[in-house]
Amino acid sequence: MAIKVHGVPVSTCTAGVLLCLHEKGLHYELLPVDLAAGAHKQDPYLSLNPFGQIPAVEDGEFSLFESRAINRYLARKHKDIGTDLLRANSLPESALVETWMEVEAHQFHGPATAILHEIIVNPMYGIASNEQTIETEMEKLGKVLDVYEERLSKYKYLAGENYTLADLQHIPNLVYFMKTTKAEAITCRPHVRAWWDDISSRPATLKVSANMKLI
Amino acid sequence: MVVKVYGTVRSACVQRVLACLLEKEVDFDVVHVDLEAGEQKRPEFLVLQPFGQVPAIEDGYLKLYESRAIIKYYAAKYADHGPNLLGSSLEERALVDQWLEVEAHNFNDLVYTLVLQLVILPRMGKPGDLALAHSCEQKLETVLDVYEQRLSKSSYLAGETFSLADLSHLPGIRYLMNEAKMGNLVTERKNVNAWWEDISNRPAWKKLMQLAGH
Protein backbone atom coordinates (compact mmCIF):
# COMPACT_ATOMS: atom_id res chain seq x y z
CA MET A 1 0.00 0.00 0.00
CA ALA A 2 1.39 3.39 -0.96
CA ILE A 3 2.22 5.86 1.78
CA LYS A 4 -0.07 8.89 1.67
CA VAL A 5 1.62 12.27 2.06
CA HIS A 6 -0.67 15.21 2.75
CA GLY A 7 1.09 18.39 1.69
CA VAL A 8 2.20 20.44 -1.29
CA PRO A 9 5.39 19.96 -3.37
CA VAL A 10 6.52 23.60 -3.04
CA SER A 11 6.49 23.43 0.77
CA THR A 12 9.94 22.83 2.25
CA CYS A 13 8.65 20.52 4.97
CA THR A 14 6.67 18.41 2.48
CA ALA A 15 9.70 18.32 0.16
CA GLY A 16 11.81 17.00 3.05
CA VAL A 17 9.53 13.99 3.39
CA LEU A 18 9.43 13.41 -0.38
CA LEU A 19 13.25 13.42 -0.47
CA CYS A 20 13.31 10.66 2.14
CA LEU A 21 10.71 8.61 0.26
CA HIS A 22 12.73 8.92 -2.97
CA GLU A 23 16.02 8.04 -1.24
CA LYS A 24 14.33 4.90 0.07
CA GLY A 25 12.58 4.11 -3.23
CA LEU A 26 9.19 3.96 -1.49
CA HIS A 27 5.89 4.33 -3.34
CA TYR A 28 3.76 7.22 -2.20
CA GLU A 29 0.71 9.27 -3.11
CA LEU A 30 0.87 13.03 -2.68
CA LEU A 31 -2.52 14.36 -1.59
CA PRO A 32 -2.61 18.14 -2.03
CA VAL A 33 -3.81 20.28 0.86
CA ASP A 34 -5.59 23.48 -0.21
CA LEU A 35 -3.64 25.98 1.89
CA ALA A 36 -5.25 29.01 0.25
CA ALA A 37 -8.65 27.73 1.37
CA GLY A 38 -7.30 27.07 4.89
CA ALA A 39 -7.88 23.31 4.58
CA HIS A 40 -4.93 22.64 6.92
CA LYS A 41 -6.65 24.52 9.74
CA GLN A 42 -9.92 22.58 9.51
CA ASP A 43 -11.29 19.07 9.78
CA PRO A 44 -10.64 16.57 8.37
CA TYR A 45 -6.97 17.64 8.13
CA LEU A 46 -6.82 18.52 11.83
CA SER A 47 -7.43 14.86 12.68
CA LEU A 48 -4.09 14.15 10.97
CA ASN A 49 -2.20 17.10 12.45
CA PRO A 50 -3.98 18.94 15.28
CA PHE A 51 -1.50 21.82 14.99
CA GLY A 52 -2.83 22.54 11.50
CA GLN A 53 0.51 22.26 9.71
CA ILE A 54 1.68 20.30 6.68
CA PRO A 55 2.83 17.64 6.02
CA ALA A 56 1.20 14.64 7.61
CA VAL A 57 1.54 11.04 6.44
CA GLU A 58 -0.63 7.94 6.56
CA ASP A 59 1.15 4.59 6.46
CA GLY A 60 -1.73 2.13 6.47
CA GLU A 61 -3.59 2.72 9.73
CA PHE A 62 -0.76 4.70 11.27
CA SER A 63 -0.55 8.47 10.86
CA LEU A 64 2.21 10.86 11.81
CA PHE A 65 3.09 14.56 11.55
CA GLU A 66 6.25 16.71 11.98
CA SER A 67 8.44 16.14 8.90
CA ARG A 68 11.61 15.32 10.87
CA ALA A 69 9.72 12.67 12.88
CA ILE A 70 8.19 11.29 9.68
CA ASN A 71 11.63 10.96 8.10
CA ARG A 72 13.08 9.22 11.14
CA TYR A 73 10.14 6.78 11.08
CA LEU A 74 10.55 6.01 7.39
CA ALA A 75 14.33 5.69 7.69
CA ARG A 76 14.00 3.38 10.69
CA LYS A 77 11.17 1.24 9.31
CA HIS A 78 12.93 0.76 5.98
CA LYS A 79 16.50 0.82 7.21
CA ASP A 80 17.53 -2.12 5.06
CA ILE A 81 16.45 -0.68 1.71
CA GLY A 82 17.63 2.32 -0.26
CA THR A 83 20.02 4.85 1.30
CA ASP A 84 20.96 4.24 4.97
CA LEU A 85 19.75 7.59 6.25
CA LEU A 86 19.98 7.06 10.02
CA ARG A 87 23.05 4.77 10.39
CA ALA A 88 20.83 2.85 12.81
CA ASN A 89 23.16 -0.14 13.04
CA SER A 90 25.78 1.93 14.84
CA LEU A 91 24.79 3.82 17.97
CA PRO A 92 27.72 6.30 17.89
CA GLU A 93 27.13 7.01 14.18
CA SER A 94 23.39 7.47 14.65
CA ALA A 95 24.13 9.82 17.57
CA LEU A 96 26.03 12.06 15.16
CA VAL A 97 23.15 11.92 12.66
CA GLU A 98 20.79 13.03 15.45
CA THR A 99 23.19 15.79 16.55
CA TRP A 100 23.43 17.29 13.08
CA MET A 101 19.68 16.96 12.55
CA GLU A 102 19.29 19.04 15.70
CA VAL A 103 21.87 21.51 14.40
CA GLU A 104 19.80 21.92 11.22
CA ALA A 105 16.64 22.41 13.29
CA HIS A 106 18.05 24.84 15.86
CA GLN A 107 20.97 26.66 14.23
CA PHE A 108 20.41 26.63 10.47
CA HIS A 109 16.64 26.52 10.01
CA GLY A 110 15.81 29.74 11.90
CA PRO A 111 18.07 32.16 9.98
CA ALA A 112 17.56 30.35 6.63
CA THR A 113 13.75 30.49 6.80
CA ALA A 114 13.76 34.08 8.09
CA ILE A 115 15.85 35.16 5.08
CA LEU A 116 13.66 33.24 2.62
CA HIS A 117 10.58 34.76 4.23
CA GLU A 118 11.90 38.26 3.59
CA ILE A 119 13.26 37.67 0.10
CA ILE A 120 10.69 35.30 -1.39
CA VAL A 121 7.52 35.04 0.67
CA ASN A 122 6.89 38.69 1.60
CA PRO A 123 7.09 39.97 -2.00
CA MET A 124 4.54 37.32 -3.01
CA TYR A 125 2.06 39.10 -0.72
CA GLY A 126 3.12 42.60 -1.73
CA ILE A 127 5.00 43.16 1.54
CA ALA A 128 8.36 44.93 1.35
CA SER A 129 11.45 42.97 2.44
CA ASN A 130 12.98 44.15 5.69
CA GLU A 131 16.64 44.78 4.86
CA GLN A 132 17.64 45.00 8.51
CA THR A 133 16.17 41.56 9.22
CA ILE A 134 17.95 40.12 6.18
CA GLU A 135 21.27 41.59 7.33
CA THR A 136 20.87 40.33 10.92
CA GLU A 137 19.84 36.84 9.83
CA MET A 138 22.60 36.64 7.17
CA GLU A 139 25.14 37.40 9.88
CA LYS A 140 23.74 34.58 12.05
CA LEU A 141 23.69 32.22 9.07
CA GLY A 142 27.27 33.16 8.20
CA LYS A 143 28.49 32.12 11.65
CA VAL A 144 26.62 28.82 11.39
CA LEU A 145 28.05 28.17 7.94
CA ASP A 146 31.56 28.85 9.24
CA VAL A 147 31.06 25.91 11.61
CA TYR A 148 29.78 23.82 8.69
CA GLU A 149 32.84 24.80 6.62
CA GLU A 150 35.12 23.56 9.40
CA ARG A 151 33.10 20.34 9.82
CA LEU A 152 32.96 19.61 6.10
CA SER A 153 36.70 20.17 5.78
CA LYS A 154 37.09 17.02 7.91
CA TYR A 155 34.17 14.88 6.75
CA LYS A 156 32.42 14.44 3.42
CA TYR A 157 28.99 14.81 5.01
CA LEU A 158 27.77 16.40 8.22
CA ALA A 159 27.46 13.21 10.30
CA GLY A 160 30.55 11.54 8.84
CA GLU A 161 31.51 9.80 5.62
CA ASN A 162 27.96 8.90 4.56
CA TYR A 163 24.96 10.89 3.33
CA THR A 164 22.25 10.86 5.99
CA LEU A 165 19.08 12.63 7.11
CA ALA A 166 21.34 15.27 8.66
CA ASP A 167 22.33 16.44 5.16
CA LEU A 168 18.90 15.78 3.62
CA GLN A 169 17.07 18.03 6.07
CA HIS A 170 19.00 21.03 4.72
CA ILE A 171 18.07 20.52 1.09
CA PRO A 172 14.57 22.05 0.78
CA ASN A 173 15.54 25.44 2.23
CA LEU A 174 18.80 25.45 0.29
CA VAL A 175 16.97 24.75 -3.00
CA TYR A 176 15.24 28.11 -2.58
CA PHE A 177 18.18 29.87 -0.93
CA MET A 178 20.49 29.08 -3.85
CA LYS A 179 18.09 30.88 -6.21
CA THR A 180 18.43 34.15 -4.27
CA THR A 181 21.12 36.83 -4.41
CA LYS A 182 22.37 35.49 -1.05
CA ALA A 183 23.58 32.17 -2.51
CA GLU A 184 27.12 33.45 -2.20
CA ALA A 185 27.01 32.53 1.49
CA ILE A 186 27.22 28.91 0.31
CA THR A 187 29.42 29.32 -2.77
CA CYS A 188 32.11 31.37 -1.01
CA ARG A 189 32.80 28.51 1.41
CA PRO A 190 34.62 25.81 -0.62
CA HIS A 191 33.71 22.76 1.49
CA VAL A 192 30.10 23.85 2.00
CA ARG A 193 29.93 24.49 -1.74
CA ALA A 194 31.29 21.03 -2.56
CA TRP A 195 28.83 19.46 -0.11
CA TRP A 196 25.93 21.36 -1.69
CA ASP A 197 27.07 20.40 -5.22
CA ASP A 198 27.08 16.77 -4.10
CA ILE A 199 23.75 16.58 -2.27
CA SER A 200 21.90 18.76 -4.79
CA SER A 201 22.83 16.46 -7.65
CA ARG A 202 21.55 13.26 -6.06
CA PRO A 203 18.76 11.71 -8.18
CA ALA A 204 16.23 12.04 -5.33
CA THR A 205 17.09 15.74 -4.92
CA LEU A 206 16.76 16.43 -8.64
CA LYS A 207 13.34 14.73 -8.77
CA VAL A 208 11.90 16.56 -5.75
CA SER A 209 13.43 19.97 -6.42
CA ALA A 210 12.02 19.93 -9.97
CA ASN A 211 8.58 20.46 -8.38
CA MET A 212 9.73 23.16 -5.97
CA LYS A 213 8.76 26.15 -8.05
CA LEU A 214 7.98 29.23 -5.96
CA ILE A 215 10.30 31.52 -7.92
CA MET B 1 33.03 5.83 33.44
CA VAL B 2 31.28 9.00 34.49
CA VAL B 3 29.64 11.16 31.84
CA LYS B 4 30.86 14.76 31.91
CA VAL B 5 28.06 17.24 31.27
CA TYR B 6 29.29 20.73 30.50
CA GLY B 7 26.89 23.47 31.53
CA THR B 8 24.99 24.63 34.60
CA VAL B 9 22.30 22.77 36.58
CA ARG B 10 19.96 25.73 36.14
CA SER B 11 20.07 25.75 32.33
CA ALA B 12 16.89 24.28 30.81
CA CYS B 13 18.77 22.41 28.08
CA VAL B 14 21.25 20.97 30.57
CA GLN B 15 18.34 19.90 32.79
CA ARG B 16 16.84 18.02 29.84
CA VAL B 17 20.01 15.90 29.68
CA LEU B 18 20.40 15.47 33.45
CA ALA B 19 16.75 14.39 33.80
CA CYS B 20 17.39 11.63 31.26
CA LEU B 21 20.65 10.52 32.89
CA LEU B 22 18.92 10.39 36.28
CA GLU B 23 16.01 8.36 34.86
CA LYS B 24 18.54 5.90 33.42
CA GLU B 25 20.72 5.99 36.57
CA VAL B 26 23.80 6.96 34.58
CA ASP B 27 26.51 8.57 36.71
CA PHE B 28 27.50 12.06 35.67
CA ASP B 29 29.58 15.05 36.71
CA VAL B 30 28.44 18.54 35.86
CA VAL B 31 31.44 20.57 34.69
CA HIS B 32 30.42 24.12 35.38
CA VAL B 33 30.48 26.59 32.48
CA ASP B 34 30.28 30.24 33.52
CA LEU B 35 27.58 31.46 31.13
CA GLU B 36 27.45 34.97 32.56
CA ALA B 37 31.18 35.38 31.93
CA GLY B 38 30.68 34.08 28.37
CA GLU B 39 32.82 30.99 28.94
CA GLN B 40 30.74 29.09 26.38
CA LYS B 41 31.99 31.42 23.62
CA ARG B 42 35.67 30.92 24.38
CA PRO B 43 37.91 28.85 22.07
CA GLU B 44 38.46 26.11 24.69
CA PHE B 45 34.71 25.50 24.91
CA LEU B 46 34.05 25.86 21.18
CA VAL B 47 36.15 22.73 20.65
CA LEU B 48 33.41 20.84 22.51
CA GLN B 49 30.43 22.73 21.12
CA PRO B 50 31.22 24.87 18.06
CA PHE B 51 27.99 26.87 18.31
CA GLY B 52 28.94 28.09 21.79
CA GLN B 53 26.00 26.65 23.70
CA VAL B 54 25.41 24.30 26.60
CA PRO B 55 25.11 21.41 27.13
CA ALA B 56 27.91 19.36 25.65
CA ILE B 57 28.88 15.91 26.92
CA GLU B 58 32.06 13.87 27.01
CA ASP B 59 31.67 10.15 27.52
CA GLY B 60 35.02 8.47 27.02
CA TYR B 61 35.93 9.17 23.40
CA LEU B 62 32.41 10.29 22.49
CA LYS B 63 31.61 13.98 22.42
CA LEU B 64 28.04 15.06 21.72
CA TYR B 65 25.95 18.19 21.88
CA GLU B 66 22.31 19.28 21.28
CA SER B 67 20.29 18.13 24.30
CA ARG B 68 17.61 16.25 22.34
CA ALA B 69 20.27 14.26 20.46
CA ILE B 70 22.04 13.47 23.74
CA ILE B 71 18.90 12.16 25.44
CA LYS B 72 18.09 9.95 22.44
CA TYR B 73 21.60 8.51 22.59
CA TYR B 74 21.42 7.60 26.29
CA ALA B 75 17.84 6.34 26.07
CA ALA B 76 18.99 3.96 23.30
CA LYS B 77 22.35 3.04 24.84
CA TYR B 78 20.68 2.05 28.12
CA ALA B 79 17.44 0.77 26.60
CA ASP B 80 17.51 -2.24 28.93
CA HIS B 81 18.21 -0.28 32.09
CA GLY B 82 15.69 1.85 33.93
CA PRO B 83 12.43 3.01 32.33
CA ASN B 84 12.03 2.56 28.57
CA LEU B 85 11.93 6.13 27.27
CA LEU B 86 11.68 5.36 23.55
CA GLY B 87 8.42 3.39 23.16
CA SER B 88 8.12 -0.36 22.56
CA SER B 89 7.36 -0.48 18.86
CA LEU B 90 8.27 1.29 15.64
CA GLU B 91 5.03 3.30 15.80
CA GLU B 92 5.47 4.22 19.47
CA ARG B 93 9.04 5.34 18.76
CA ALA B 94 7.70 7.48 15.90
CA LEU B 95 5.18 9.11 18.26
CA VAL B 96 7.98 9.84 20.74
CA ASP B 97 9.90 11.55 17.90
CA GLN B 98 6.77 13.40 16.80
CA TRP B 99 6.05 14.86 20.22
CA LEU B 100 9.72 15.70 20.73
CA GLU B 101 9.48 17.72 17.51
CA VAL B 102 6.29 19.38 18.82
CA GLU B 103 8.13 20.29 22.02
CA ALA B 104 11.09 21.67 20.05
CA HIS B 105 9.14 23.65 17.44
CA ASN B 106 5.64 24.40 18.75
CA PHE B 107 6.29 24.69 22.48
CA ASN B 108 9.90 25.55 23.30
CA ASP B 109 10.34 28.67 21.15
CA LEU B 110 7.26 30.24 22.75
CA VAL B 111 8.35 29.40 26.29
CA TYR B 112 11.90 30.54 25.63
CA THR B 113 10.75 33.90 24.23
CA LEU B 114 8.35 34.39 27.14
CA VAL B 115 11.01 33.65 29.75
CA LEU B 116 13.53 35.85 27.92
CA GLN B 117 11.18 38.84 27.79
CA LEU B 118 9.59 38.48 31.23
CA VAL B 119 12.44 37.14 33.35
CA ILE B 120 15.92 37.18 31.82
CA LEU B 121 16.05 40.62 30.19
CA PRO B 122 14.60 42.39 33.28
CA ARG B 123 17.18 40.55 35.42
CA MET B 124 19.86 42.03 33.19
CA GLY B 125 18.35 45.47 33.70
CA LYS B 126 16.88 45.61 30.18
CA PRO B 127 13.21 46.10 29.29
CA GLY B 128 11.33 43.04 28.07
CA ASP B 129 8.99 43.27 25.09
CA LEU B 130 5.63 42.84 26.81
CA ALA B 131 3.67 42.81 23.56
CA LEU B 132 5.84 39.99 22.26
CA ALA B 133 5.44 38.12 25.56
CA HIS B 134 1.67 38.50 25.38
CA SER B 135 1.62 37.25 21.79
CA CYS B 136 3.65 34.19 22.84
CA GLU B 137 1.28 33.58 25.73
CA GLN B 138 -1.72 33.57 23.39
CA LYS B 139 -0.01 31.17 20.97
CA LEU B 140 0.95 28.95 23.90
CA GLU B 141 -2.71 28.81 24.98
CA THR B 142 -3.62 27.43 21.54
CA VAL B 143 -0.77 24.91 21.63
CA LEU B 144 -1.71 23.72 25.13
CA ASP B 145 -5.32 23.29 24.00
CA VAL B 146 -3.99 20.68 21.57
CA TYR B 147 -2.05 19.04 24.41
CA GLU B 148 -5.23 19.01 26.50
CA GLN B 149 -7.02 17.16 23.69
CA ARG B 150 -4.14 14.72 23.25
CA LEU B 151 -3.86 13.98 26.97
CA SER B 152 -7.59 13.26 27.15
CA LYS B 153 -6.84 10.23 24.93
CA SER B 154 -3.56 8.98 26.41
CA SER B 155 -1.81 9.29 29.75
CA TYR B 156 1.39 10.59 28.19
CA LEU B 157 2.11 12.41 24.97
CA ALA B 158 3.36 9.44 22.94
CA GLY B 159 1.08 6.82 24.52
CA GLU B 160 0.51 5.04 27.80
CA THR B 161 4.07 5.22 29.13
CA PHE B 162 6.38 8.10 30.09
CA SER B 163 8.90 8.82 27.34
CA LEU B 164 11.53 11.32 26.20
CA ALA B 165 8.67 13.37 24.70
CA ASP B 166 7.25 14.08 28.17
CA LEU B 167 10.71 14.43 29.77
CA SER B 168 11.75 17.05 27.26
CA HIS B 169 8.99 19.39 28.48
CA LEU B 170 9.96 19.30 32.16
CA PRO B 171 12.53 22.15 32.26
CA GLY B 172 10.43 24.54 30.14
CA ILE B 173 7.21 23.97 32.05
CA ARG B 174 9.05 24.46 35.33
CA TYR B 175 10.30 27.87 34.15
CA LEU B 176 6.83 28.76 32.92
CA MET B 177 5.24 27.91 36.24
CA ASN B 178 7.87 29.44 38.47
CA GLU B 179 9.95 32.34 37.19
CA ALA B 180 7.49 33.34 34.42
CA LYS B 181 4.52 32.95 36.83
CA MET B 182 2.27 31.47 34.16
CA GLY B 183 1.26 28.34 36.02
CA ASN B 184 -2.35 29.03 35.11
CA LEU B 185 -1.63 27.87 31.55
CA VAL B 186 -1.11 24.41 33.02
CA THR B 187 -3.45 24.38 36.03
CA GLU B 188 -6.45 25.62 34.02
CA ARG B 189 -6.26 22.51 31.82
CA LYS B 190 -7.40 19.38 33.62
CA ASN B 191 -5.44 16.82 31.59
CA VAL B 192 -2.33 18.93 31.13
CA ASN B 193 -2.33 19.62 34.86
CA ALA B 194 -2.69 15.93 35.74
CA TRP B 195 0.12 15.10 33.33
CA TRP B 196 2.38 17.80 34.80
CA GLU B 197 1.65 16.60 38.36
CA ASP B 198 2.59 13.08 37.32
CA ILE B 199 5.78 13.80 35.41
CA SER B 200 7.09 16.43 37.83
CA ASN B 201 6.71 14.01 40.74
CA ARG B 202 8.95 11.39 39.22
CA PRO B 203 11.89 10.64 41.56
CA ALA B 204 14.48 11.49 38.90
CA TRP B 205 13.02 14.97 38.35
CA LYS B 206 12.69 15.59 42.08
CA LYS B 207 16.33 14.63 42.53
CA LEU B 208 17.32 17.08 39.80
CA MET B 209 15.29 19.84 41.47
CA GLN B 210 17.29 19.22 44.64
CA LEU B 211 20.59 19.32 42.73
CA ALA B 212 19.54 22.55 41.03
CA GLY B 213 18.40 24.11 44.31
CA HIS B 214 14.91 24.88 42.96
Side-chain angles (χ1 to χ4, degrees), chain A residues 1-4 26-29 58-61 77-78:
Chain A
M1 190 193 311
I3 293 159
K4 291 181 189 167
L26 294 167
H27 293 300
Y28 68 88
E29 223 187 308
E58 289 179 277
D59 186 7
E61 296 292 309
K77 182 173 181 181
H78 301 283

Side-chain angles (χ1 to χ4, degrees), chain A residues 34-68:
Chain A
D34 191 346
L35 302 178
H40 53 314
K41 304 288 181 193
Q42 303 162 36
D43 287 319
Y45 187 78
L46 288 177
S47 65
L48 287 173
N49 183 338
F51 295 96
Q53 294 166 323
I54 58 167
V57 302
E58 289 179 277
D59 186 7
E61 296 292 309
F62 181 60
S63 72
L64 205 55
F65 57 90
E66 286 297 332
S67 63
R68 294 178 186 85

Side-chain angles (χ1 to χ4, degrees), chain B residues 154-178:
Chain B
S154 64
S155 306
Y156 299 94
L157 289 171
E160 287 310 310
T161 48
F162 178 79
S163 75
L164 288 185
D166 310 288
L167 182 151
S168 201
H169 285 80
L170 283 161
I173 297 181
R174 195 211 64 78
Y175 264 102
L176 202 62
M177 297 188 76
N178 291 278

